[in-house]
Every structure is written in structure tokens, then in C-alpha cells.
Amino acid sequence: MTTIAIIGAGVTGLTCARRLAEAGLRVTVFDKGRGLGGRLATRRVSGLGRSGAQVAAFDHGVQYVTARGADFTSSLERRAALQAAAVWRPRLSQSRVETPDPAPWHVGTPGMSGLAKSWGADLSIALKTRVERIEPDGSGWRLQFDDGSAQGPYDTVVVSTPPSQALDLLPKGAREPFSAIQDVRVAPCWAGLFAFDPQNGLAATAGFDCWRLEEGGSDDVLVWAAHNTSKPGRVGLEAWVVHAGIAWSVAHLEESPEMVAPVLLEGLGALTGYAAPKPAYQAAHRWRYARTIEPLGKPFLSDRAGSFYVGGDWCLGARVECGFDSGAAIAHAILWDAGLADRRAAG
Ligand SMILES: Cc1cc2nc3c(=O)[nH]c(=O)nc-3n(C[C@H](O)[C@H](O)[C@H](O)COP(=O)(O)OP(=O)(O)OC[C@H]3O[C@@H](n4cnc5c(N)ncnc54)[C@H](O)[C@@H]3O)c2cc1C
């Protein structure tokens, strides 16, 4: 039976793995992270408050998900039926909000990573496993991990990491068509995570749950602020997530989270019109590869033999649905080659 290794347990890798596993192929997913989801992430913090008994949770990557295609729409509907997703209807700020995406805005439950957990249910996934190199091994591929161990050979490998990490994993001497990855541009993003005691919170005075500014429209530090606990199914202290704009994130990329968090908190205070009270928890998270600025323009790249694939949201755009579509297209191409699909994928 065909064996497949997928590097990356974000939406791209999980979608691809799910489709292949459902068709009966033997698939293993490897991810260097501690949990599933990649940028579909939720950070949970405990031991907060005076008693040390309080918790807070933050969706510090993806904020919400919208669907334009029928395939992704029905996947979100299935996740909602499984209680892994719900619709978020935030109060939008009346001040300088970019035209909102068309509703509905879906979020994972009880956190954004709930969506990833649902897509990854029942799959064979090795976490905390960083792939360092992928080498040819007979007619297949062997994975070398950073602890010196190796696994394989696999008949087919799918790399679903951000583009610069994918370049590092290409087999030695790989050129066309993979050189096109170098033209893809992805911007970083600094995220701020803040939790407040409810009696000390911002939600009542702010009067909004979500504020967004068009990128590049001004010199403001922040482009996004969300009252995370207004999303369905969230528990714990009043949590806020803010994102800095691309220009600010690039300019401060190598600063420490300890330096960045107070600046983002000040931005949140200015937005709400009040000096932000002292948070019960504050942190900053650096997303080095956050949002695609210049996509590849097709859903994936593969070698001539159809045994090495590279995909990700960056192939098509900057949204979760782009990763979903890329992963689905790779799965379709693999199934086609295995004689298990009834029509050729679009690209
Ligand atoms: C701050 C922020 C806000 C966003 N907001 C939204 C939003 O509101 N709505 C929306 O639709 N999209 C949003 N996005 C974009 C969205 O996150 C992406 O489009 C989508 O999650 C990409 O999924 P992916 O699977 O392609 O990549 P990722 O989620 O990045 O998954 C790649 C995986 O590869 C793993 N990996 C990398 N290298 C290795 C290695 N060597 N070995 C093993 N594993 C490896 C990583 O750990 C990661 O889990 C946002 C992104 C960020 C960062």
C-alpha cells in the first residue's frame, strides 16, 4: 500500500492527510509543534489571578475563518455539527473599521485549535518531531529528524510548511518547478495576548469586541484587536488579542517579547480610549511567517514523478481556506496517480 509522509499539521497538512486516509492510504503527519494546527493556535494559561486558580485562553494566530468555496463551507458545517466550530458575531467597532469580511465568521471551539483537532481526529500524527532533511531512499524518501533518528522510506512526501521552511526541506539539487517558491512573499506579525480580571476589564468600556484597520493605511502600531472571550465557548479571564501591522512587525521583528508586549498593550489602551489596566497576564508572540503577501498562484508544486509535493496557504493566499484548498488539491493529485480519483485536480 502507498505510504505517505506529510510534514506540517496545519490546515494544509491535515486536510491532505484526512482525504488520503479516508481513501485508505497509509499516512503519517509530522509536526515540530506541541499541538496540532500550526497558525490555527490557542494558548491556554493557568495559575492566574490572586488565588492562582484562574485561567485564560487566547487565539493568537487565526482570528476567524470564512468560506468562499462549497468544499470548505461544507467542511465547516461538519465541524460545527461536531461542536468543533461555531459562528462568532462580535460587536464591531464603529471607529475606522475596514469593511468586514462577509459573514459568517467561524471560530473553532472551545478555542481556534479545536478546528484543527477535529480535522486531525483519528489521523496518525507525530508531534514534537522536527524534520531536518528529506533524502532519496530507493524509489522513495527518508525523513531525518533533528534528534538524529530517521524514518522511511515513504513512497510520497508532502511538505506543507511556510515557504522558506519548505525551501530548507527540498532534496539536494531540486530545482524546477520548486524555484518558484523563492518568489512567494510572506510577512511576519507580532501578536499581543492580554488577560484582565473582569472587574478590571476593557470589554464594557470599549463598547466593541473587534476592531480592524486596513494594512498600510496609517502609522498605527495595531491593525487588529479582538475581545477573545466574546467568541463562543470561551472560558476564563477576559482575554484580548491584538496584532501589529506588517510594517511595525518587520521593523521590530528581532525584539524580545518582553519589549514588545508593553507597546502592544499601550496600543490596546489607546484604542479603547482608556489607559489599559494592569493585566493579569501579558505576552507577545512573534509569527515569523504570518500572512502571504505574494502567493504562488497555483495550489501546489510537485516533482515530475509525483512523489514530492509542496503546498500551503501561501500557494493561493493568506487565509485558512487557501491552506484547505491546497491540501485538498495535493490529496486529489496523489489519489489520481494512485487511480483512486475520478477526475484530475485543477492544478
Ligand atoms: C497572526 C495571524 C492571524 C491570522 N488571521 C487569519 C484569519 O483571521 N483568518 C484566516 O483565514 N487566516 C488567518 N491567518 C492565516 C492562516 O493562519 C493561514 O492561512 C493558515 O493557518 C495556514 O495553514 P498551513 O497549514 O498552510 O500552515 P501552518 O499553519 O503554518 O502549518 C505549518 C506547520 O508546519 C510545521 N513545520 C514547519 N517546519 C517543520 C519541520 N521542519 N518539521 C516538522 N514540522 C514543521 C509547523 O510547526 C506548522 O504546524 C492568520 C495568520 C496569522 C499568523
Side-chain angles (χ1 to χ4, degrees):
M1 187 197 287
T2 310
T3 53
I4 298 155
I6 298 184
I7 326 306
V11 60
T12 305
L14 293 175
T15 303
C16 185
R18 224 184 150 68
R19 302 248 159 143
L20 296 173
E22 278 167 5
L25 301 189
R26 244 184 37 225
V27 188
T28 311
V29 184
F30 299 90
D31 199 294
K32 64 185 168 69
R34 275 181 297 157
L36 295 186
R39 283 169 275 167
L40 263 170
T42 304
R43 182 183 298 183
R44 291 193 171 75
V45 187
S46 56
L48 300 177
R50 271 196 211 123
S51 62
Q54 290 179 304
V55 297
F58 308 87
D59 302 317
H60 55 305
V62 177
Q63 294 301 293
Y64 62 86
V65 176
T66 51
R68 296 178 191 168
D71 205 8
F72 193 51
T73 303
S74 63
S75 182
L76 286 180
E77 282 167 3
R78 274 198 303 279
R79 300 306 126 201
L82 292 167
Q83 323 266 300
V87 173
W88 179 37
R89 295 185 183 84
R91 296 172 300 159
L92 298 180
S93 163
Q94 296 306 308
S95 123
R96 299 165 74 201
V97 177
E98 189 191 343
T99 316
D101 285 331
W105 289 6
H106 291 273
V107 294
T109 53
M112 204 49 93
S113 61
L115 255 182
K117 284 180 189 153
S118 179
W119 276 320
D122 304 327
L123 294 174
S124 162
I125 302 177
L127 294 173
K128 297 191 224 159
T129 310
R130 180 192 288 268
V131 178
E132 203 160 77
R133 279 192 318 281
I134 303 172
E135 296 171 340
D137 184 350
S139 60
W141 302 98
R142 187 177 58 249
L143 306 189
Q144 295 284 352
F145 304 108
D146 63 348
D147 64 0
S149 65
Q151 272 187 41
Y154 293 93
D155 299 310
T156 303
V157 164
V158 178
V159 175
S160 72
T161 66
S164 58
Q165 294 168 324
L167 280 171
D168 292 342
L169 290 174
L170 289 179
K172 253 200 191 127
R175 291 204 184 89
E176 293 305 327
F178 299 111
S179 54
I181 300 173
Q182 281 157 357
D183 300 330
V184 173
R185 288 178 55 224
V186 177
C189 174
W190 269 110
L193 295 65
F194 306 104
F196 303 95
D197 286 321
Q199 70 271 28
N200 212 7
L202 297 174
T205 48
F208 65 82
D209 299 314
C210 167
W211 174 93
R212 181 166 63 181
L213 190 62
E214 190 124 25
E215 277 283 0
S218 74
D219 295 334
D220 294 52
V221 174
L222 300 185
V223 293
W224 171 266
H227 173 207
N228 207 91
T229 4
S230 71
K231 295 178 180 178
R234 270 55 177 176
V235 294
L237 294 178
E238 183 186 306
W240 286 77
V241 170
V242 301
H243 289 153
I246 292 173
W248 196 91
S249 297
V250 169
H252 299 84
L253 191 59
E254 300 309 334
E255 281 180 21
S256 69
E258 293 71 27
M259 296 281 289
V260 168
V263 181
L264 301 186
L265 177 62
E266 203 182 306
L268 177 60
L271 262 188
T272 53
Y274 297 88
K278 190 172 164 10
Y281 175 82
Q282 72 173 48
H285 180 89
R286 174 179 27 224
W287 293 102
R288 211 172 266 283
Y289 311 109
R291 307 296 293 259
T292 311
I293 305 175
E294 201 72 60
L296 180 71
K298 49 168 132 173
F300 61 83
L301 295 169
S302 70
D303 65 356
R304 256 201 221 139
S307 71
F308 197 104
Y309 289 81
V310 182
D313 66 330
W314 51 271
C315 291
L316 297 169
R319 301 164 47 248
V320 169
E321 187 172 16
C322 302
F324 179 91
D325 287 347
S326 173
I330 295 172
H332 195 283
I334 293 171
L335 292 175
W336 175 267
D337 283 347
L340 295 169
D342 53 5
R343 99 192 126 76
R344 184 172 271 289

